[in-house]
């Protein structure tokens, strides 16, 4: 864990909490882990005082205290969809069609 990144996350958590945010959604499990650590250090209770969730589902988040709500999706398929879209923007005609990406919200204690 990069100390500079932890400081940035810690400052962001402080600002969000001071502004009255009732929840934090993180882009990945590493950022979410840093966020949860910062909340714990600041003695801010999850989910009683603020809720937390991640856009990426990993076992790491499942075993946090409390376990973190997350979104489960196919990251490889999402990458292929992004590549297809980029190729179309660049004027190419990729063979793969873009179809909606299925996802599942995995509710855990951090938002309940």
């Amino acid at each position: 864990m990069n100390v500079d990144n932890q400081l940035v996350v810690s400052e962001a958590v402080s600002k969000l909490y001071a502004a009255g945010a009732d929840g934090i959604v993180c882009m990945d499990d590493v950022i979410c882990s840093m966020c949860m650590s910062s909340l714990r250090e600041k003695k801010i209770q999850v989910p009683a005082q603020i809720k937390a969730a991640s856009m990426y589902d990993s076992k790491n988040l499942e075993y946090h205290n409390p376990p973190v709500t997350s979104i489960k999706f196919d990251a490889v398929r999402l990458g292929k969809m992004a590549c297809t879209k980029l190729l179309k923007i660049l004027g190419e005609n990729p063979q793969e069609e873009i179809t909606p990406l299925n996802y599942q919200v995995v509710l855990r204690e951090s938002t309940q």
Side-chain angles (χ1 to χ4, degrees):
M1 184 176 350
N2 186 318
V3 174
D4 291 336
N5 291 342
Q6 181 63 49
L7 289 173
V8 169
V9 170
S10 182
E11 289 175 16
V13 166
S14 293
K15 288 178 183 178
L16 287 168
Y17 189 71
D22 63 351
I24 299 173
V25 178
C26 303
M27 287 303 297
D28 69 23
D29 60 340
V30 174
I31 293 171
C32 193
S33 291
M34 288 189 279
C35 179
M36 295 295 284
S37 292
S38 180
L39 290 166
R40 204 171 15 264
E41 288 170 10
K42 297 173 188 318
K43 308 261 190 273
I44 299 171
Q45 296 177 344
V46 176
Q49 293 175 284
I50 196 165
K51 295 172 181 9
S54 176
M55 295 293 292
Y56 184 76
D57 186 50
S58 74
K59 292 290 181 195
N60 182 32
L61 298 178
E62 186 177 342
Y63 297 114
H64 261 274
N65 186 18
V68 178
T69 291
S70 61
I71 297 177
K72 186 182 286 190
F73 60 91
D74 184 346
V76 172
R77 183 154 176 254
L78 180 61
K80 287 180 181 179
M81 289 172 59
C83 186
T84 299
K85 183 143 182 104
L86 180 60
L87 287 171
K88 284 184 178 183
I89 290 170
L90 295 172
E92 297 294 324
N93 188 18
Q95 299 301 312
E96 188 173 330
E97 284 297 315
I98 296 176
T99 56
L101 182 67
N102 293 326
Y103 64 91
Q104 176 185 4
V105 176
V106 182
L107 291 174
R108 296 191 182 107
E109 293 174 30
S110 68
T111 58
Q112 298 178 0

